[in-house]
């Protein structure tokens, strides 16, 4: 440390300040902007999520009403919709880097 100049000891501070200024000058996405961008990149994932929520809601409603047959059918549909969503997510992770 004896042969270091005083400026060399604080290089990490300068690097940190440069990184902070670069990050703050870039436009950061809001939650809705990010959701819109992700939906446009892989539109099947939100469709699968909506199908999962719909099947779950109808299944819970039928469970409440006592319609066991329809409730079982909708719970199976929910599992299928969840599987579809996961397959779409994995496909998006695999195919998206290749498209850029």
């Amino acid at each position: 440390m004896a042969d270091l100049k005083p400026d060399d000891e604080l290089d990490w501070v300068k690097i940190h300040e440069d990184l902070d200024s670069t990050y703050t000058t870039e436009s950061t996405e809001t939650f809705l902007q990010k959701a819109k961008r992700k939906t446009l990149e892989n539109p099947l994932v939100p469709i699968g999520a909506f199908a999962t929520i719909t099947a779950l809601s109808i299944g819970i409603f039928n469970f409440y009403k006592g319609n066991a047959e329809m409730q079982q059918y909708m719970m199976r549909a929910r599992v299928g919709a969840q599987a579809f969503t996961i397959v779409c997510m994995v496909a998006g992770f695999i195919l998206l880097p290749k498209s850029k």
Side-chain angles (χ1 to χ4, degrees):
M1 297 271 318
D3 36 322
L4 290 177
K5 299 177 188 170
D7 292 339
D8 291 341
E9 292 178 15
L10 300 177
D11 279 346
W12 65 272
V13 174
K14 177 70 174 145
I15 292 170
H16 189 269
E17 289 171 353
D18 290 343
L19 287 174
D20 282 347
S21 66
T22 302
Y23 179 72
T24 55
T25 58
E26 293 178 2
S27 97
T28 55
E29 287 181 314
T30 64
F31 175 76
L32 292 176
Q33 290 170 336
K34 185 175 181 178
K36 182 178 178 181
R37 179 177 55 85
K38 293 285 189 180
T39 299
L40 292 174
E41 287 175 359
N42 196 352
L44 294 178
V45 172
I47 292 169
F50 181 73
T52 301
I53 291 169
T54 303
L56 179 63
S57 300
I58 295 171
I60 290 173
F61 178 75
N62 281 297
F63 176 75
Y64 177 72
K65 290 292 185 182
N67 188 354
E69 186 178 344
M70 184 64 164
Q71 184 262 339
Q72 275 295 318
Y73 176 74
M74 293 313 295
M75 289 301 112
R76 290 179 183 143
R78 177 193 56 85
V79 170
Q82 281 180 311
F84 172 77
T85 304
I86 291 171
V87 167
C88 290
M89 287 172 57
V90 170
F93 287 135
I94 292 171
L95 299 176
L96 187 62
K98 293 179 183 177
S99 67
K100 287 185 177 181

